Amino acid sequence: MQAIFQALNFNPWTFLFQTLNLLVVMGLLYVFLYKPLGKVLADREARIEGNLNDAAAAREKAENILAEYRQQLQGARQEAQAILDRATKMAEETRAEIINRAREEAERTLVQARREIEGEKSKALAAIRSEAASLAILAAGKVLERSLTPDDQERLAREAIAEVERLQ
């Protein structure tokens, strides 16, 4: 075996120092590289887990806000529909009220016009009677060819008016 070790140029002291050197380097790498790297990875994992939890909480909050917004939107739509319904009802009531007022005003105007017509009719009939009486007196005066006294004229006018009223 010695021959093999000499052929390989193997020195046990060198092997021992190299083994110790390897163990020291591995220990130093473990202390200065592996532990901090493990800590950095653990911190990163904790940060990622926290971010995921924050994202889930934010998503849940956003969903709650969205549900609340939808509920408010639905309420606003219902309120708008109620306002439209009230406005339609008020417009219908106003329209009916305006129509009733117009009918009442037209009825009053019609009654007043009838009264005015009756008044004008009475005036016209009185004027016609007066004119007829005057014409009758003139005709009678020409027939009699004499001049009538004012008393005769008044009597004849009354008779003519009575005759005209009787004919109507």
Side-chain angles (χ1 to χ4, degrees), residues 54-86:
D54 291 345
R59 180 178 179 181
E60 186 176 326
K61 184 177 179 182
E63 287 174 355
N64 289 340
I65 290 172
L66 180 62
E68 188 177 314
Y69 169 74
R70 285 183 179 158
Q71 186 177 9
Q72 287 176 351
L73 184 62
Q74 182 65 27
R77 284 183 181 150
Q78 289 174 349
E79 187 175 337
Q81 186 61 42
I83 289 170
L84 285 175
D85 291 343
R86 282 195 307 264

PDB file of all heavy atoms in Angstrom, residues 54-86:
ATOM      1  N   ASP A  54     -51.947  40.597   2.504  1.00  0.00           N
ATOM      2  CA  ASP A  54     -52.424  41.967   2.267  1.00  0.00           C
ATOM      3  C   ASP A  54     -53.248  42.041   0.990  1.00  0.00           C
ATOM      4  O   ASP A  54     -54.281  42.716   0.941  1.00  0.00           O
ATOM      5  CB  ASP A  54     -51.239  42.939   2.175  1.00  0.00           C
ATOM      6  CG  ASP A  54     -50.547  43.131   3.516  1.00  0.00           C
ATOM      7  OD1 ASP A  54     -51.140  42.759   4.554  1.00  0.00           O
ATOM      8  OD2 ASP A  54     -49.401  43.659   3.515  1.00  0.00           O
ATOM      9  N   ALA A  55     -52.789  41.344  -0.051  1.00  0.00           N
ATOM     10  CA  ALA A  55     -53.518  41.341  -1.321  1.00  0.00           C
ATOM     11  C   ALA A  55     -54.888  40.683  -1.148  1.00  0.00           C
ATOM     12  O   ALA A  55     -55.888  41.164  -1.682  1.00  0.00           O
ATOM     13  CB  ALA A  55     -52.719  40.620  -2.399  1.00  0.00           C
ATOM     14  N   ALA A  56     -54.935  39.607  -0.376  1.00  0.00           N
ATOM     15  CA  ALA A  56     -56.229  38.944  -0.140  1.00  0.00           C
ATOM     16  C   ALA A  56     -57.155  39.864   0.646  1.00  0.00           C
ATOM     17  O   ALA A  56     -58.352  39.967   0.342  1.00  0.00           O
ATOM     18  CB  ALA A  56     -56.015  37.624   0.608  1.00  0.00           C
ATOM     19  N   ALA A  57     -56.600  40.559   1.654  1.00  0.00           N
ATOM     20  CA  ALA A  57     -57.419  41.489   2.440  1.00  0.00           C
ATOM     21  C   ALA A  57     -57.891  42.646   1.563  1.00  0.00           C
ATOM     22  O   ALA A  57     -59.046  43.070   1.644  1.00  0.00           O
ATOM     23  CB  ALA A  57     -56.622  42.014   3.634  1.00  0.00           C
ATOM     24  N   ALA A  58     -56.994  43.158   0.706  1.00  0.00           N
ATOM     25  CA  ALA A  58     -57.368  44.255  -0.189  1.00  0.00           C
ATOM     26  C   ALA A  58     -58.435  43.799  -1.178  1.00  0.00           C
ATOM     27  O   ALA A  58     -59.378  44.547  -1.483  1.00  0.00           O
ATOM     28  CB  ALA A  58     -56.145  44.770  -0.934  1.00  0.00           C
ATOM     29  N   ARG A  59     -58.309  42.583  -1.662  1.00  0.00           N
ATOM     30  CA  ARG A  59     -59.306  42.054  -2.597  1.00  0.00           C
ATOM     31  C   ARG A  59     -60.656  41.914  -1.901  1.00  0.00           C
ATOM     32  O   ARG A  59     -61.693  42.277  -2.463  1.00  0.00           O
ATOM     33  CB  ARG A  59     -58.850  40.710  -3.135  1.00  0.00           C
ATOM     34  CG  ARG A  59     -59.823  40.116  -4.111  1.00  0.00           C
ATOM     35  CD  ARG A  59     -59.340  38.819  -4.674  1.00  0.00           C
ATOM     36  NE  ARG A  59     -60.326  38.290  -5.578  1.00  0.00           N
ATOM     37  CZ  ARG A  59     -60.209  37.180  -6.207  1.00  0.00           C
ATOM     38  NH1 ARG A  59     -59.114  36.453  -6.063  1.00  0.00           N
ATOM     39  NH2 ARG A  59     -61.144  36.751  -7.009  1.00  0.00           N
ATOM     40  N   GLU A  60     -60.634  41.404  -0.675  1.00  0.00           N
ATOM     41  CA  GLU A  60     -61.878  41.266   0.071  1.00  0.00           C
ATOM     42  C   GLU A  60     -62.500  42.636   0.335  1.00  0.00           C
ATOM     43  O   GLU A  60     -63.711  42.820   0.182  1.00  0.00           O
ATOM     44  CB  GLU A  60     -61.612  40.555   1.394  1.00  0.00           C
ATOM     45  CG  GLU A  60     -62.861  40.243   2.183  1.00  0.00           C
ATOM     46  CD  GLU A  60     -62.556  39.457   3.448  1.00  0.00           C
ATOM     47  OE1 GLU A  60     -61.637  38.641   3.429  1.00  0.00           O
ATOM     48  OE2 GLU A  60     -63.251  39.696   4.440  1.00  0.00           O
ATOM     49  N   LYS A  61     -61.656  43.613   0.686  1.00  0.00           N
ATOM     50  CA  LYS A  61     -62.154  44.967   0.918  1.00  0.00           C
ATOM     51  C   LYS A  61     -62.733  45.547  -0.371  1.00  0.00           C
ATOM     52  O   LYS A  61     -63.791  46.186  -0.368  1.00  0.00           O
ATOM     53  CB  LYS A  61     -61.016  45.851   1.433  1.00  0.00           C
ATOM     54  CG  LYS A  61     -61.445  47.246   1.802  1.00  0.00           C
ATOM     55  CD  LYS A  61     -60.278  48.038   2.360  1.00  0.00           C
ATOM     56  CE  LYS A  61     -60.713  49.449   2.712  1.00  0.00           C
ATOM     57  NZ  LYS A  61     -59.592  50.251   3.217  1.00  0.00           N
ATOM     58  N   ALA A  62     -62.035  45.324  -1.487  1.00  0.00           N
ATOM     59  CA  ALA A  62     -62.521  45.818  -2.785  1.00  0.00           C
ATOM     60  C   ALA A  62     -63.855  45.168  -3.142  1.00  0.00           C
ATOM     61  O   ALA A  62     -64.761  45.833  -3.660  1.00  0.00           O
ATOM     62  CB  ALA A  62     -61.485  45.555  -3.870  1.00  0.00           C
ATOM     63  N   GLU A  63     -63.986  43.874  -2.864  1.00  0.00           N
ATOM     64  CA  GLU A  63     -65.257  43.196  -3.145  1.00  0.00           C
ATOM     65  C   GLU A  63     -66.372  43.754  -2.267  1.00  0.00           C
ATOM     66  O   GLU A  63     -67.508  43.929  -2.732  1.00  0.00           O
ATOM     67  CB  GLU A  63     -65.103  41.689  -2.935  1.00  0.00           C
ATOM     68  CG  GLU A  63     -64.296  41.011  -4.029  1.00  0.00           C
ATOM     69  CD  GLU A  63     -64.032  39.539  -3.744  1.00  0.00           C
ATOM     70  OE1 GLU A  63     -64.397  39.062  -2.646  1.00  0.00           O
ATOM     71  OE2 GLU A  63     -63.463  38.877  -4.620  1.00  0.00           O
ATOM     72  N   ASN A  64     -66.049  44.043  -0.999  1.00  0.00           N
ATOM     73  CA  ASN A  64     -67.051  44.645  -0.107  1.00  0.00           C
ATOM     74  C   ASN A  64     -67.452  46.029  -0.605  1.00  0.00           C
ATOM     75  O   ASN A  64     -68.640  46.381  -0.609  1.00  0.00           O
ATOM     76  CB  ASN A  64     -66.515  44.733   1.321  1.00  0.00           C
ATOM     77  CG  ASN A  64     -66.409  43.382   1.989  1.00  0.00           C
ATOM     78  OD1 ASN A  64     -67.044  42.418   1.572  1.00  0.00           O
ATOM     79  ND2 ASN A  64     -65.598  43.286   3.020  1.00  0.00           N
ATOM     80  N   ILE A  65     -66.471  46.819  -1.017  1.00  0.00           N
ATOM     81  CA  ILE A  65     -66.758  48.158  -1.541  1.00  0.00           C
ATOM     82  C   ILE A  65     -67.594  48.056  -2.808  1.00  0.00           C
ATOM     83  O   ILE A  65     -68.545  48.819  -3.009  1.00  0.00           O
ATOM     84  CB  ILE A  65     -65.451  48.940  -1.776  1.00  0.00           C
ATOM     85  CG1 ILE A  65     -64.807  49.293  -0.434  1.00  0.00           C
ATOM     86  CG2 ILE A  65     -65.702  50.198  -2.588  1.00  0.00           C
ATOM     87  CD1 ILE A  65     -63.418  49.890  -0.556  1.00  0.00           C
ATOM     88  N   LEU A  66     -67.241  47.096  -3.676  1.00  0.00           N
ATOM     89  CA  LEU A  66     -67.998  46.898  -4.919  1.00  0.00           C
ATOM     90  C   LEU A  66     -69.439  46.495  -4.610  1.00  0.00           C
ATOM     91  O   LEU A  66     -70.382  47.008  -5.230  1.00  0.00           O
ATOM     92  CB  LEU A  66     -67.319  45.855  -5.793  1.00  0.00           C
ATOM     93  CG  LEU A  66     -67.989  45.550  -7.127  1.00  0.00           C
ATOM     94  CD1 LEU A  66     -68.016  46.798  -8.007  1.00  0.00           C
ATOM     95  CD2 LEU A  66     -67.281  44.410  -7.831  1.00  0.00           C
ATOM     96  N   ALA A  67     -69.613  45.597  -3.637  1.00  0.00           N
ATOM     97  CA  ALA A  67     -70.973  45.183  -3.273  1.00  0.00           C
ATOM     98  C   ALA A  67     -71.749  46.374  -2.700  1.00  0.00           C
ATOM     99  O   ALA A  67     -72.924  46.571  -3.025  1.00  0.00           O
ATOM    100  CB  ALA A  67     -70.915  44.042  -2.260  1.00  0.00           C
ATOM    101  N   GLU A  68     -71.075  47.165  -1.880  1.00  0.00           N
ATOM    102  CA  GLU A  68     -71.722  48.356  -1.307  1.00  0.00           C
ATOM    103  C   GLU A  68     -72.074  49.354  -2.404  1.00  0.00           C
ATOM    104  O   GLU A  68     -73.161  49.937  -2.411  1.00  0.00           O
ATOM    105  CB  GLU A  68     -70.772  49.000  -0.296  1.00  0.00           C
ATOM    106  CG  GLU A  68     -71.368  50.118   0.502  1.00  0.00           C
ATOM    107  CD  GLU A  68     -70.395  50.650   1.540  1.00  0.00           C
ATOM    108  OE1 GLU A  68     -69.778  49.832   2.240  1.00  0.00           O
ATOM    109  OE2 GLU A  68     -70.266  51.875   1.627  1.00  0.00           O
ATOM    110  N   TYR A  69     -71.163  49.539  -3.356  1.00  0.00           N
ATOM    111  CA  TYR A  69     -71.418  50.445  -4.485  1.00  0.00           C
ATOM    112  C   TYR A  69     -72.609  49.961  -5.294  1.00  0.00           C
ATOM    113  O   TYR A  69     -73.471  50.753  -5.676  1.00  0.00           O
ATOM    114  CB  TYR A  69     -70.164  50.532  -5.354  1.00  0.00           C
ATOM    115  CG  TYR A  69     -70.395  51.221  -6.668  1.00  0.00           C
ATOM    116  CD1 TYR A  69     -70.557  52.599  -6.736  1.00  0.00           C
ATOM    117  CD2 TYR A  69     -70.468  50.489  -7.853  1.00  0.00           C
ATOM    118  CE1 TYR A  69     -70.780  53.231  -7.932  1.00  0.00           C
ATOM    119  CE2 TYR A  69     -70.696  51.119  -9.059  1.00  0.00           C
ATOM    120  CZ  TYR A  69     -70.841  52.482  -9.097  1.00  0.00           C
ATOM    121  OH  TYR A  69     -71.064  53.103 -10.296  1.00  0.00           O
ATOM    122  N   ARG A  70     -72.652  48.669  -5.555  1.00  0.00           N
ATOM    123  CA  ARG A  70     -73.781  48.124  -6.324  1.00  0.00           C
ATOM    124  C   ARG A  70     -75.093  48.324  -5.573  1.00  0.00           C
ATOM    125  O   ARG A  70     -76.114  48.640  -6.173  1.00  0.00           O
ATOM    126  CB  ARG A  70     -73.552  46.641  -6.614  1.00  0.00           C
ATOM    127  CG  ARG A  70     -72.518  46.416  -7.686  1.00  0.00           C
ATOM    128  CD  ARG A  70     -72.347  44.961  -8.004  1.00  0.00           C
ATOM    129  NE  ARG A  70     -71.352  44.791  -9.079  1.00  0.00           N
ATOM    130  CZ  ARG A  70     -70.691  43.683  -9.300  1.00  0.00           C
ATOM    131  NH1 ARG A  70     -70.903  42.626  -8.532  1.00  0.00           N
ATOM    132  NH2 ARG A  70     -69.824  43.603 -10.282  1.00  0.00           N
ATOM    133  N   GLN A  71     -75.038  48.144  -4.258  1.00  0.00           N
ATOM    134  CA  GLN A  71     -76.239  48.351  -3.454  1.00  0.00           C
ATOM    135  C   GLN A  71     -76.667  49.817  -3.496  1.00  0.00           C
ATOM    136  O   GLN A  71     -77.851  50.128  -3.654  1.00  0.00           O
ATOM    137  CB  GLN A  71     -75.970  47.918  -2.019  1.00  0.00           C
ATOM    138  CG  GLN A  71     -77.182  47.943  -1.121  1.00  0.00           C
ATOM    139  CD  GLN A  71     -76.857  47.442   0.278  1.00  0.00           C
ATOM    140  OE1 GLN A  71     -75.707  47.243   0.616  1.00  0.00           O
ATOM    141  NE2 GLN A  71     -77.878  47.255   1.082  1.00  0.00           N
ATOM    142  N   GLN A  72     -75.692  50.729  -3.389  1.00  0.00           N
ATOM    143  CA  GLN A  72     -76.016  52.158  -3.468  1.00  0.00           C
ATOM    144  C   GLN A  72     -76.555  52.508  -4.848  1.00  0.00           C
ATOM    145  O   GLN A  72     -77.485  53.300  -4.974  1.00  0.00           O
ATOM    146  CB  GLN A  72     -74.776  52.996  -3.162  1.00  0.00           C
ATOM    147  CG  GLN A  72     -74.367  52.991  -1.711  1.00  0.00           C
ATOM    148  CD  GLN A  72     -73.082  53.760  -1.480  1.00  0.00           C
ATOM    149  OE1 GLN A  72     -72.396  54.167  -2.418  1.00  0.00           O
ATOM    150  NE2 GLN A  72     -72.736  53.953  -0.219  1.00  0.00           N
ATOM    151  N   LEU A  73     -75.960  51.923  -5.873  1.00  0.00           N
ATOM    152  CA  LEU A  73     -76.419  52.169  -7.243  1.00  0.00           C
ATOM    153  C   LEU A  73     -77.848  51.681  -7.417  1.00  0.00           C
ATOM    154  O   LEU A  73     -78.678  52.377  -8.014  1.00  0.00           O
ATOM    155  CB  LEU A  73     -75.483  51.486  -8.241  1.00  0.00           C
ATOM    156  CG  LEU A  73     -75.751  51.717  -9.714  1.00  0.00           C
ATOM    157  CD1 LEU A  73     -75.610  53.200 -10.050  1.00  0.00           C
ATOM    158  CD2 LEU A  73     -74.794  50.894 -10.566  1.00  0.00           C
ATOM    159  N   GLN A  74     -78.141  50.507  -6.864  1.00  0.00           N
ATOM    160  CA  GLN A  74     -79.505  49.984  -6.945  1.00  0.00           C
ATOM    161  C   GLN A  74     -80.466  50.905  -6.200  1.00  0.00           C
ATOM    162  O   GLN A  74     -81.560  51.199  -6.683  1.00  0.00           O
ATOM    163  CB  GLN A  74     -79.566  48.559  -6.369  1.00  0.00           C
ATOM    164  CG  GLN A  74     -80.934  47.928  -6.448  1.00  0.00           C
ATOM    165  CD  GLN A  74     -81.386  47.702  -7.875  1.00  0.00           C
ATOM    166  OE1 GLN A  74     -80.595  47.536  -8.786  1.00  0.00           O
ATOM    167  NE2 GLN A  74     -82.687  47.708  -8.090  1.00  0.00           N
ATOM    168  N   GLY A  75     -80.035  51.378  -5.027  1.00  0.00           N
ATOM    169  CA  GLY A  75     -80.869  52.315  -4.269  1.00  0.00           C
ATOM    170  C   GLY A  75     -81.093  53.599  -5.033  1.00  0.00           C
ATOM    171  O   GLY A  75     -82.200  54.150  -5.038  1.00  0.00           O
ATOM    172  N   ALA A  76     -80.029  54.099  -5.681  1.00  0.00           N
ATOM    173  CA  ALA A  76     -80.163  55.331  -6.466  1.00  0.00           C
ATOM    174  C   ALA A  76     -81.111  55.119  -7.639  1.00  0.00           C
ATOM    175  O   ALA A  76     -81.917  55.996  -7.959  1.00  0.00           O
ATOM    176  CB  ALA A  76     -78.791  55.776  -6.963  1.00  0.00           C
ATOM    177  N   ARG A  77     -81.027  53.949  -8.257  1.00  0.00           N
ATOM    178  CA  ARG A  77     -81.941  53.661  -9.370  1.00  0.00           C
ATOM    179  C   ARG A  77     -83.389  53.619  -8.882  1.00  0.00           C
ATOM    180  O   ARG A  77     -84.290  54.136  -9.539  1.00  0.00           O
ATOM    181  CB  ARG A  77     -81.570  52.328 -10.028  1.00  0.00           C
ATOM    182  CG  ARG A  77     -80.348  52.416 -10.899  1.00  0.00           C
ATOM    183  CD  ARG A  77     -80.055  51.106 -11.588  1.00  0.00           C
ATOM    184  NE  ARG A  77     -78.857  51.236 -12.408  1.00  0.00           N
ATOM    185  CZ  ARG A  77     -78.022  50.257 -12.663  1.00  0.00           C
ATOM    186  NH1 ARG A  77     -78.248  49.055 -12.160  1.00  0.00           N
ATOM    187  NH2 ARG A  77     -76.966  50.448 -13.414  1.00  0.00           N
ATOM    188  N   GLN A  78     -83.594  52.969  -7.735  1.00  0.00           N
ATOM    189  CA  GLN A  78     -84.949  52.905  -7.195  1.00  0.00           C
ATOM    190  C   GLN A  78     -85.452  54.296  -6.824  1.00  0.00           C
ATOM    191  O   GLN A  78     -86.606  54.625  -7.081  1.00  0.00           O
ATOM    192  CB  GLN A  78     -84.980  51.984  -5.972  1.00  0.00           C
ATOM    193  CG  GLN A  78     -84.800  50.524  -6.319  1.00  0.00           C
ATOM    194  CD  GLN A  78     -84.677  49.639  -5.078  1.00  0.00           C
ATOM    195  OE1 GLN A  78     -84.520  50.119  -3.978  1.00  0.00           O
ATOM    196  NE2 GLN A  78     -84.763  48.337  -5.284  1.00  0.00           N
ATOM    197  N   GLU A  79     -84.571  55.097  -6.238  1.00  0.00           N
ATOM    198  CA  GLU A  79     -84.957  56.461  -5.872  1.00  0.00           C
ATOM    199  C   GLU A  79     -85.278  57.285  -7.120  1.00  0.00           C
ATOM    200  O   GLU A  79     -86.252  58.039  -7.141  1.00  0.00           O
ATOM    201  CB  GLU A  79     -83.836  57.128  -5.077  1.00  0.00           C
ATOM    202  CG  GLU A  79     -84.206  58.473  -4.519  1.00  0.00           C
ATOM    203  CD  GLU A  79     -83.114  59.062  -3.644  1.00  0.00           C
ATOM    204  OE1 GLU A  79     -82.290  58.305  -3.127  1.00  0.00           O
ATOM    205  OE2 GLU A  79     -83.113  60.293  -3.485  1.00  0.00           O
ATOM    206  N   ALA A  80     -84.454  57.129  -8.159  1.00  0.00           N
ATOM    207  CA  ALA A  80     -84.709  57.852  -9.409  1.00  0.00           C
ATOM    208  C   ALA A  80     -86.046  57.425 -10.009  1.00  0.00           C
ATOM    209  O   ALA A  80     -86.813  58.265 -10.497  1.00  0.00           O
ATOM    210  CB  ALA A  80     -83.571  57.601 -10.401  1.00  0.00           C
ATOM    211  N   GLN A  81     -86.329  56.116  -9.956  1.00  0.00           N
ATOM    212  CA  GLN A  81     -87.610  55.632 -10.483  1.00  0.00           C
ATOM    213  C   GLN A  81     -88.763  56.193  -9.666  1.00  0.00           C
ATOM    214  O   GLN A  81     -89.797  56.575 -10.217  1.00  0.00           O
ATOM    215  CB  GLN A  81     -87.642  54.094 -10.477  1.00  0.00           C
ATOM    216  CG  GLN A  81     -88.870  53.517 -11.146  1.00  0.00           C
ATOM    217  CD  GLN A  81     -88.974  53.897 -12.608  1.00  0.00           C
ATOM    218  OE1 GLN A  81     -88.001  53.895 -13.331  1.00  0.00           O
ATOM    219  NE2 GLN A  81     -90.169  54.247 -13.049  1.00  0.00           N
ATOM    220  N   ALA A  82     -88.582  56.251  -8.343  1.00  0.00           N
ATOM    221  CA  ALA A  82     -89.629  56.806  -7.480  1.00  0.00           C
ATOM    222  C   ALA A  82     -89.849  58.285  -7.801  1.00  0.00           C
ATOM    223  O   ALA A  82     -90.990  58.757  -7.850  1.00  0.00           O
ATOM    224  CB  ALA A  82     -89.261  56.627  -6.009  1.00  0.00           C
ATOM    225  N   ILE A  83     -88.760  59.017  -8.035  1.00  0.00           N
ATOM    226  CA  ILE A  83     -88.866  60.437  -8.392  1.00  0.00           C
ATOM    227  C   ILE A  83     -89.604  60.588  -9.714  1.00  0.00           C
ATOM    228  O   ILE A  83     -90.480  61.445  -9.859  1.00  0.00           O
ATOM    229  CB  ILE A  83     -87.478  61.096  -8.435  1.00  0.00           C
ATOM    230  CG1 ILE A  83     -86.913  61.230  -7.013  1.00  0.00           C
ATOM    231  CG2 ILE A  83     -87.532  62.452  -9.115  1.00  0.00           C
ATOM    232  CD1 ILE A  83     -85.461  61.649  -6.964  1.00  0.00           C
ATOM    233  N   LEU A  84     -89.253  59.743 -10.689  1.00  0.00           N
ATOM    234  CA  LEU A  84     -89.938  59.791 -11.985  1.00  0.00           C
ATOM    235  C   LEU A  84     -91.430  59.479 -11.824  1.00  0.00           C
ATOM    236  O   LEU A  84     -92.278  60.124 -12.452  1.00  0.00           O
ATOM    237  CB  LEU A  84     -89.295  58.805 -12.963  1.00  0.00           C
ATOM    238  CG  LEU A  84     -87.950  59.216 -13.535  1.00  0.00           C
ATOM    239  CD1 LEU A  84     -87.372  58.097 -14.392  1.00  0.00           C
ATOM    240  CD2 LEU A  84     -88.075  60.486 -14.356  1.00  0.00           C
ATOM    241  N   ASP A  85     -91.726  58.486 -10.989  1.00  0.00           N
ATOM    242  CA  ASP A  85     -93.131  58.133 -10.770  1.00  0.00           C
ATOM    243  C   ASP A  85     -93.886  59.297 -10.129  1.00  0.00           C
ATOM    244  O   ASP A  85     -95.007  59.614 -10.530  1.00  0.00           O
ATOM    245  CB  ASP A  85     -93.238  56.890  -9.892  1.00  0.00           C
ATOM    246  CG  ASP A  85     -92.748  55.628 -10.598  1.00  0.00           C
ATOM    247  OD1 ASP A  85     -92.630  55.664 -11.843  1.00  0.00           O
ATOM    248  OD2 ASP A  85     -92.474  54.626  -9.913  1.00  0.00           O
ATOM    249  N   ARG A  86     -93.254  59.923  -9.122  1.00  0.00           N
ATOM    250  CA  ARG A  86     -93.900  61.063  -8.473  1.00  0.00           C
ATOM    251  C   ARG A  86     -94.089  62.209  -9.467  1.00  0.00           C
ATOM    252  O   ARG A  86     -95.137  62.864  -9.483  1.00  0.00           O
ATOM    253  CB  ARG A  86     -93.071  61.539  -7.274  1.00  0.00           C
ATOM    254  CG  ARG A  86     -93.231  60.672  -6.046  1.00  0.00           C
ATOM    255  CD  ARG A  86     -92.698  61.352  -4.798  1.00  0.00           C
ATOM    256  NE  ARG A  86     -91.347  61.833  -4.906  1.00  0.00           N
ATOM    257  CZ  ARG A  86     -90.253  61.198  -4.507  1.00  0.00           C
ATOM    258  NH1 ARG A  86     -90.368  60.004  -3.953  1.00  0.00           N
ATOM    259  NH2 ARG A  86     -89.057  61.734  -4.632  1.00  0.00           N
TER     260      ARG A  86
END
